[in-house]
Amino acid sequence: MIVDCGIYRDGHRTEGPEDFSDALDQARAAGGFVWVGLHEPSEEEFALVSQEFALHALAVEDALKAHQRPKLEVYDDSLFVVLKPVVYEPHSDTVSTGEIMIFLGDSFVVTVRHGEGDGLTAVRHRLEQEPEMLGKGPTAVLYAIADTVVDHYLDVATELQTDLEELEAEVFSPERGGSRNTASRIYNFKRQITEFRRATGPLALPMSRLGGTGQSAFATAVPFVDDKARPFFRDVSDHLTRVNESVESLDRLVSDILSAHLAQTGVQQNDDMRKISAWAAMAAIPTMLAGIYGMNFEHMPELHWVWAYPAVIGLMAVLEVVLYRTFKQRGWL
């Protein structure tokens, strides 16, 4: 559905016609731009928008189907940018992603949002409170959205770091280190990091291109984006670099924690096997002696001796004590 449609001139919102074509003509005549916001539009709703703003068919298809990687595509009449905002659920400790598609062109911005994440209403209201920034045109909208998305990445990375510290404490806790649920929690946490990385990693190249850094092929000016905005996009790119470094660090740490947990489990299993073997060895001695004297042969040493029974029981006890102390000294019991 269409969430909002506004005409902006000199950094201020002005009243205008509801028809997109008339609004775009008025904005161009006044030296302003149109910002149309949509949330999960249907094909019929988006067909009107794409026709009025002459959006490329491939970009329109991506905007309707969603499930795209972060990217930047340059077409003849517009610039197409895909961002993936991340939402952290503190109750379930899970990470979910949405999608924001931005069409940037001559005197217009079209934003298409998918998912249940935070909308762009707050970004629009904040920009409307900053006429100087909004007066920079469609580039200001692209920068504000990208900056908001990446700044939220930093918050999510902080939350995940806290969760990782709790998980680390659980793994190395003497009481809970061997919990059956620990391995599944570690694996689930690694999945959350992977989901987070899918949103942050591919975005590095588009931000570098917008900032005019990186490979020489991407150092040229990006159409429909003001060259004076490059320092701002470089700042966003720097923040994104911090996020990606945090994600890499989290991934390495959770892999190390998983290895440590598996090593602890193996040590514990070996310790259990030593204890079982020690008790089995102690049980073997009386079993052997009892088995010998239970074979019912007529001619056996000490069979009719009066002290044979207490002597055998005493021998069993002495051997059990010797084995117990030996295993205890070696740490098997």
Side-chain angles (χ1 to χ4, degrees), residues 32 41 48 55 76 82 85 91-92 132 187 206 208 223 229 258 267 284 309:
L48 177 60
L55 304 181
D76 293 336
V82 178
H91 300 293
S92 57
E132 184 178 354
Y187 178 74
S208 296
L258 179 59
V267 170
Y309 178 75

Side-chain angles (χ1 to χ4, degrees), residues 4-18 23 26-28 30-35 124 128 134:
D4 198 356
C5 176
I7 301 177
Y8 297 90
R9 178 184 178 187
D10 298 328
H12 298 279
R13 184 165 183 161
T14 61
E15 297 296 332
E18 295 182 359
Q26 180 177 327
R28 285 173 175 170
F33 68 96
V34 179
W35 181 0
R124 186 188 289 264
E128 290 176 353
L134 194 56

Side-chain angles (χ1 to χ4, degrees), residues 86 95-97 190-199:
V86 174
V95 170
S96 59
T97 58
K190 194 170 183 64
R191 288 189 61 184
Q192 306 310 314
I193 295 177
T194 301
E195 184 71 15
F196 192 23
R197 175 184 285 172
R198 288 172 182 169

Side-chain angles (χ1 to χ4, degrees), residues 274-289 314-333:
R274 286 199 302 267
K275 291 181 180 179
I276 294 173
S277 301
W279 287 111
M282 293 174 63
I285 291 178
T287 301
M288 180 189 67
L289 294 178
L315 178 61
M316 291 181 183
V318 170
L319 292 176
E320 290 295 309
V321 171
V322 171
L323 285 177
Y324 180 81
R325 296 190 63 178
T326 301
F327 291 142
K328 193 71 173 178
Q329 289 176 353
R330 294 185 178 182
W332 285 33
L333 291 175

Side-chain angles (χ1 to χ4, degrees), residues 216-261:
S216 58
F218 294 148
T220 58
V222 178
F224 310 107
V225 176
D226 191 346
D227 289 343
K228 295 181 180 178
R230 284 189 173 190
F232 296 93
F233 286 108
R234 282 198 291 270
D235 181 67
V236 176
S237 181
D238 289 342
H239 291 176
L240 183 62
T241 300
R242 288 174 50 195
V243 172
N244 284 326
E245 290 175 351
S246 297
V247 173
E248 291 295 331
S249 177
L250 288 171
D251 188 62
R252 288 195 300 269
L253 285 173
V254 75
S255 297
D256 292 341
I257 290 175
L258 179 59
S259 299
H261 173 67

